[in-house]
Amino acid sequence: MAAPTLRTLARELGLSRTTVSDALCGSHRVKAETAARVRAAAKAAGYERNPLTGAVMSQLRRSRGQQFRGVLAAVEIVEAVHSPLAQRYNDALMSGVMARAGELGFNVERFVVGPQGVRLNRLDTILHTRGIQGLILLPASGFPDLSALSWHRYTAVYADYFIDHPPLHCVCSDHYRSMIALLRELHARGYRRPGLFMEISLSERLQFRWEGAFLALQKYLPEITEVPTLRSRNINFETFAPWFRKHDPDVVIGHFPDAMDWMSACGAKLPSTHGFVCLNRLRTSGNCACVDLQTAQLGARSTELVVGQLLHNELGVPTQPSLTTIPARLIEGPTLRPRGAKPGRGDAKPGKVRAGATSRHSTSEGGEV
Amino acid sequence: MAAPTLRTLARELGLSRTTVSDALCGSHRVKAETAARVRAAAKAAGYERNPLTGAVMSQLRRSRGQQFRGVLAAVEIVEAVHSPLAQRYNDALMSGVMARAGELGFNVERFVVGPQGVRLNRLDTILHTRGIQGLILLPASGFPDLSALSWHRYTAVYADYFIDHPPLHCVCSDHYRSMIALLRELHARGYRRPGLFMEISLSERLQFRWEGAFLALQKYLPEITEVPTLRSRNINFETFAPWFRKHDPDVVIGHFPDAMDWMSACGAKLPSTHGFVCLNRLRTSGNCACVDLQTAQLGARSTELVVGQLLHNELGVPTQPSLTTIPARLIEGPTLRPRGAKPGRGDAKPGKVRAGATSRHSTSEGGEV
DNA sequence: ACGAAAAAATAGGACTGTCAGATTTCCGGG
DNA sequence: CCCGGAAATCTGACAGTCCTATTTTTTCGT
């Protein structure tokens, strides 16, 4: 006897194929009693749905007609005040989200949760009544808890490193790899005493990824003089200057562009005697070399993930959350000497990558930082 | 305007959809003149046939709706000999790939590229004639170059950290975060002198992620005594014993289970005086605590990514490659004392996590390692 | 030159599972 | 008894293929 199909099964049961399909997918549109009956019959008949056909049919049915496919929610969780930087970061993310969502046929609506916006259970209601199923959660300070939402109705991505309530897929910049690539590039330009300053709160938030990569590569790059990291709760001229004067790094890496002034005040000339790289482009005003975290790309990829799951009807919390990362890019600026230029001081040799295993890495990842 | 389909095109041309389909497939059943006319119209209308739908329909028609499945290729690139460990790793990946592929309606075929298998351009031909479009590339040693394949025909994922020829999406274990979580867990169990040994080649391959996380957390965990990492081209008893005797770590972390013997030979008792964690479960024989890299999950996620792109007809090299990671898990074993147990030596205090920011991390990521 | 048979070209039907929208069934209140 | 609304169920349309049916064209013997 031939393998049973949806239609065969439906005829046997005296139901329509749709009802059978819905019943087997656990749709709420079917009466529980009927669904049970269908499942029993399917099991008895040895029916197995063809998942590939199902996927093809699904996208077929959806793509029919006009372009508009639905609405995504961009959810911002604001506990207290929102720093201007966080706001700029979220705006950059959103530009990527909107662009890709538009390409994929979705509209995006922004919601703010917290004291200044709606409460969580109110959001749940709004999303439900509006029929919104796809959520993009913008980075929140601390450890946001969204477990109160009815997750069986939504599919979501958190645009930051980690969320545990509930454990969702995350999308974030690849800080670790970016630091590795940055140091390799600086090394190739002849810098031999890279120094890193870092506020402890920032470092903790990223699980020390900037610093971990920095510490590891200090050990592995050839001819490096290890400059200890300046680690502090509060980085300002008073904490920076003694560290800079004592260890005299030939290139300084850190989050605050103010460091350029501090370096100058200590007698450094940029870029002739010393270099500087800011770790976040959004903090700069375009007057120094910096790392572009590719924020818009992150937003775009987040959107792709959510839409992909939406189109396959994958709602709820994922069984195994994953983290998707995108490498950052080095933006050139007047605070770094280019490749091949002569170092400004005697203790470093002209920038040429040494042969060996590391140089192969350097070649393969040279374009990005 | 909606995307043109076979039927729209046929109506425009005043032909039946069958004729159009045959014409586009270059069937001899259609008059050459008609075929040319159809191809011109298809190009003008921007018609693109959905190959996956085509495959589904074809098999559906032939096999009377039996269980049709698409096909994915799992490609193994073997330069010379394949170490037993690499083989076991790939097999574990494959089990995850096969399982998820089955759920999604795909069969998987394994191909071996290299001296022992087919050449790259031969693979290209095979995949083309078989109509295979989805590729899962298993980890290869070194820096594999697959740019010779006709990438406009395929969508692929590399199941390792990085590939640049061509730059594809990658899926890999999150070694960095796993080390962070592992150290937090060891700290919570009262260990205060963690020591890491690492072969340089291994470390380089992973871009020092194990070590980077280790170095960073040594700085940030409270009450830690920093034990320098044992770093060597070749780790054996002769290199291990002096390091172990000199620094006396209270828990040793590394890839080789042999270290347990070396520790015993130096007078250590596991787990009463010292602990040990192997960094790769596949290297152990189940007699020690170890880190499970979640290999099957990685295979599953890789498959999801490839299938997702296939269903959306997204072929070719991605515009922006991304890296997807999954955290590893700590597997308990007789070489670690449990949480709350008393340390075996006087220099460490009972295992209680200190209050503060780090403890929140520890709580939120405690389950995984 | 004509008609029948052969050949070539094109058209039709059936097949899968899904989803939006239509239709039917059910139930309580007026 | 009927109306309104909700719940449950059904209908139709959709993709590309391939086998078969139908139409059109060509061939060829008389």
Side-chain angles (χ1 to χ4, degrees):
Chain A
M1 118 188 127
T5 73
L6 256 193
R7 284 162 164 82
T8 334
L9 203 59
R11 252 197 308 279
E12 267 180 38
L13 285 158
L15 290 166
S16 78
R17 53 193 197 293
T18 313
T19 312
V20 175
S21 174
D22 286 351
L24 292 175
C25 290
S27 165
H28 57 280
R29 291 167 61 120
V30 183
K31 195 156 68 169
E33 187 195 328
T34 315
R37 198 160 57 96
V38 170
R39 275 194 296 273
K43 195 171 179 184
Y47 169 77
E48 278 183 52
R49 110 190 170 94
N50 184 331
L52 191 51
T53 312
V56 168
M57 289 303 152
S58 174
Q59 71 161 26
L60 174 63
R61 191 68 188 76
R62 282 174 201 266
S63 65
R64 187 185 58 115
Q66 68 281 23
Q67 287 290 314
F68 178 72
R69 300 191 191 189
V71 180
L72 300 179
V75 180
E76 219 165 346
I77 303 142
V78 185
E79 291 295 337
V81 282
H82 223 51
S83 78
L85 177 70
Q87 193 59 57
R88 247 194 294 175
Y89 188 84
N90 283 3
D91 288 346
L93 268 177
M94 281 305 292
S95 74
V97 169
M98 310 270 282
R100 180 66 94 249
E103 288 170 20
L104 297 173
F106 283 80
N107 287 339
V108 182
E109 287 198 28
R110 205 160 174 170
F111 295 90
V112 178
V113 173
Q116 294 154 20
V118 299
R119 292 212 187 135
L120 213 52
N121 51 8
R122 175 88 186 103
L123 177 69
D124 208 28
T125 315
I126 295 173
L127 294 176
H128 188 42
T129 53
R130 302 274 325 265
I132 297 176
Q133 298 187 305
L135 272 56
I136 292 164
L137 310 176
L138 302 180
S141 60
F143 301 84
D145 188 340
L146 295 168
S147 43
L149 290 180
S150 314
W151 281 102
H152 64 276
R153 288 203 296 248
Y154 311 117
T155 187
V157 162
Y158 184 46
D160 201 352
Y161 262 121
F162 182 73
I163 186 167
D164 199 31
H165 302 287
L168 300 170
H169 291 307
C170 293
V171 175
C172 195
S173 188
D174 195 339
H175 297 86
Y176 185 92
R177 188 159 126 195
S178 305
M179 175 59 85
I180 296 278
L182 171 61
L183 285 175
R184 286 218 159 96
E185 177 65 23
L186 293 177
H187 190 266
R189 295 186 188 203
Y191 294 105
R192 291 294 180 272
R193 300 172 60 87
L196 176 72
F197 68 86
M198 184 125 304
E199 268 194 3
I200 291 180
S201 59
L202 273 170
S203 201
E204 276 177 344
R205 179 165 174 72
L206 293 182
Q207 299 261 46
F208 327 109
R209 280 172 172 90
W210 287 127
E211 202 175 339
F214 183 86
L215 290 170
L217 221 55
Q218 270 187 336
K219 307 279 184 193
Y220 281 93
L221 279 177
E223 304 168 22
I224 283 280
T225 305
E226 285 188 38
V227 173
T229 301
L230 170 59
R231 216 175 276 119
S232 171
R233 292 256 158 241
N234 201 347
I235 297 219
N236 48 36
F237 184 73
E238 281 64 41
T239 50
F240 181 90
W243 170 81
F244 184 73
R245 289 208 182 92
K246 178 173 178 194
H247 301 288
D248 190 30
D250 59 358
V251 58
V252 170
I253 304 167
H255 279 100
F256 309 131
D258 287 349
M260 291 187 285
D261 298 333
W262 304 339
M263 289 167 74
S264 301
C266 293
K269 304 274 182 228
L270 293 161
S272 57
T273 64
H274 295 75
F276 174 74
V277 181
C278 176
L279 282 178
N280 188 343
R281 186 184 199 179
L282 298 177
R283 289 176 183 267
T284 75
S285 45
N287 57 341
C288 62
C290 59
V291 171
D292 179 358
L293 294 172
Q294 300 280 78
T295 328
Q297 294 276 8
L298 293 172
R301 190 93 182 107
S302 306
T303 311
E304 283 172 13
L305 252 61
V306 169
V307 169
Q309 299 195 86
L310 226 46
L311 290 180
H312 296 127
N313 251 354
E314 287 164 21
L315 300 180
V317 175
T319 46
Q320 169 72 62
S322 70
L323 169 68
T324 298
T325 56
I326 289 176
R329 283 231 178 104
L330 174 63
I331 308 291
E332 292 292 339
T335 54
L336 274 192
R337 59 169 181 262
R339 273 200 189 213
K342 283 184 191 167
R345 307 189 307 176
D347 59 352
K349 296 179 186 167
K352 271 285 175 184
V353 188
R354 244 186 40 168
T358 41
S359 87
R360 286 169 70 193
H361 273 287
S362 184
T363 309
S364 66
E365 296 204 359
E368 84 228 5
V369 165
Chain B
M1 167 175 83
T5 71
L6 258 193
R7 284 160 163 80
T8 11
L9 204 59
R11 250 198 308 278
E12 267 179 40
L13 284 159
L15 292 167
S16 77
R17 60 196 194 295
T18 313
T19 310
V20 175
S21 173
D22 287 349
L24 291 175
C25 292
S27 164
H28 58 280
R29 294 167 62 114
V30 184
K31 194 154 68 169
E33 186 194 329
T34 316
R37 199 160 56 97
V38 170
R39 276 194 295 272
K43 196 171 177 183
Y47 169 76
E48 276 184 52
R49 147 181 189 286
N50 185 333
L52 206 57
T53 311
V56 169
M57 292 304 157
S58 171
Q59 287 297 320
L60 199 58
R61 202 73 206 93
R62 288 170 194 265
S63 63
R64 285 260 170 235
Q66 296 290 357
Q67 67 295 346
F68 166 65
R69 337 212 98 221
V71 183
L72 299 178
V75 180
E76 218 166 346
I77 303 143
V78 183
E79 290 296 337
V81 283
H82 223 52
S83 76
L85 177 70
Q87 194 59 57
R88 246 193 295 176
Y89 188 83
N90 283 4
D91 288 347
L93 268 177
M94 281 302 294
S95 74
V97 169
M98 310 267 283
R100 179 66 93 249
E103 289 171 18
L104 297 173
F106 283 80
N107 285 334
V108 183
E109 287 198 26
R110 205 160 174 172
F111 295 89
V112 178
V113 172
Q116 295 153 22
V118 298
R119 294 215 185 130
L120 212 53
N121 51 7
R122 176 88 187 100
L123 176 71
D124 208 27
T125 316
I126 295 174
L127 294 176
H128 189 43
T129 53
R130 301 275 326 265
I132 297 175
Q133 307 192 103
L135 272 54
I136 292 163
L137 310 175
L138 302 181
S141 59
F143 300 86
D145 188 340
L146 294 169
S147 44
L149 289 181
S150 312
W151 281 101
H152 64 275
R153 288 204 297 248
Y154 310 118
T155 186
V157 162
Y158 184 46
D160 200 352
Y161 261 121
F162 183 72
I163 186 167
D164 199 29
H165 303 287
L168 300 170
H169 291 309
C170 293
V171 176
C172 197
S173 188
D174 195 340
H175 296 87
Y176 185 92
R177 187 159 127 197
S178 305
M179 175 60 86
I180 296 280
L182 171 62
L183 285 175
R184 286 217 160 96
E185 177 65 24
L186 293 177
H187 189 266
R189 295 185 189 202
Y191 294 105
R192 291 294 180 272
R193 300 171 61 88
L196 177 71
F197 69 86
M198 184 125 302
E199 268 194 359
I200 291 180
S201 59
L202 272 169
S203 201
E204 276 177 345
R205 179 165 174 71
L206 292 182
Q207 299 261 44
F208 327 109
R209 280 173 172 89
W210 286 128
E211 201 175 339
F214 184 85
L215 289 169
L217 220 55
Q218 269 188 335
K219 308 277 185 195
Y220 281 92
L221 278 177
E223 303 169 24
I224 283 280
T225 305
E226 284 188 39
V227 173
T229 301
L230 169 59
R231 217 175 276 120
S232 171
R233 291 254 160 242
N234 201 347
I235 297 217
N236 48 36
F237 183 71
E238 281 66 41
T239 49
F240 180 90
W243 170 79
F244 183 73
R245 290 208 182 92
K246 179 171 176 194
H247 301 287
D248 190 31
D250 59 358
V251 57
V252 170
I253 303 166
H255 280 101
F256 308 131
D258 287 350
M260 290 187 286
D261 298 333
W262 305 338
M263 290 168 74
S264 300
C266 293
K269 305 273 182 232
L270 294 161
S272 57
T273 64
H274 295 75
F276 174 75
V277 181
C278 176
L279 282 178
N280 188 341
R281 187 185 198 178
L282 297 178
R283 290 178 183 266
T284 74
S285 44
N287 57 342
C288 61
C290 58
V291 171
D292 180 358
L293 294 172
Q294 301 280 79
T295 328
Q297 295 276 6
L298 293 172
R301 191 91 182 107
S302 307
T303 311
E304 283 172 13
L305 253 60
V306 169
V307 170
Q309 298 196 87
L310 272 185
L311 288 176
H312 296 123
N313 215 1
E314 286 167 20
L315 300 180
V317 175
T319 46
Q320 169 72 63
S322 69
L323 168 68
T324 299
T325 55
I326 290 177
R329 282 232 177 104
L330 174 64
I331 307 291
E332 292 291 339
T335 56
L336 275 191
R337 59 170 180 262
R339 274 199 186 212
K342 281 184 192 169
R345 308 188 307 178
D347 59 354
K349 294 180 183 167
K352 271 286 177 184
V353 188
R354 247 186 38 168
T358 41
S359 87
R360 285 169 72 191
H361 274 282
S362 184
T363 309
S364 64
E365 297 203 0
E368 84 227 5
V369 166

